[in-house]
Amino acid sequence: LSNETKGQFKYDISVSVLEVYNEHIRDLLAAPPQTGKTIKKLEIKQVAEGLHHVPGLVETQVQSMSEVWEVLQTGSSARDVGSTNANEHSSRSH
């Protein structure tokens, strides 16, 4: 759509990637915290009927679908995945 309306409209598109596990939200694009620093607690906020926002998430500007996929792959590689006691073949994040 942004390519089709290039001369008429200007779009600013950004991507954020998060993981929710055990009611904890983790920003998958944020740099790892420095030693001794605490991770900023993120919360989902309802900004309008049916619309939600997570203030403080890293937002990466993108210009194309290939850039969107790059950002999603970066976030995916930062996911917290590990075996559980219940099933050594399952992952923590589904």
Side-chain angles (χ1 to χ4, degrees), residues 9-57:
F9 300 99
K10 180 180 183 282
Y11 292 93
D12 290 319
I13 301 171
S14 62
V15 176
S16 295
V17 185
L18 61 88
E19 174 180 62
V20 179
Y21 182 73
N22 281 344
E23 299 182 25
H24 174 75
I25 300 170
R26 196 164 75 92
D27 188 341
L28 297 180
L29 299 179
Q34 297 175 348
T35 304
K37 299 271 183 168
T38 58
I39 298 172
K40 183 168 63 169
K41 184 176 179 177
L42 299 170
E43 296 180 356
I44 299 172
K45 305 287 185 184
Q46 185 169 347
V47 293
E49 185 65 36
L51 298 177
H52 298 83
H53 178 67
V54 180
L57 276 179

Side-chain angles (χ1 to χ4, degrees), residues 61-72:
Q61 295 290 110
V62 293
Q63 301 295 320
S64 66
M65 280 303 297
S66 63
E67 289 182 8
V68 170
W69 285 116
E70 284 179 36
V71 173
L72 292 175

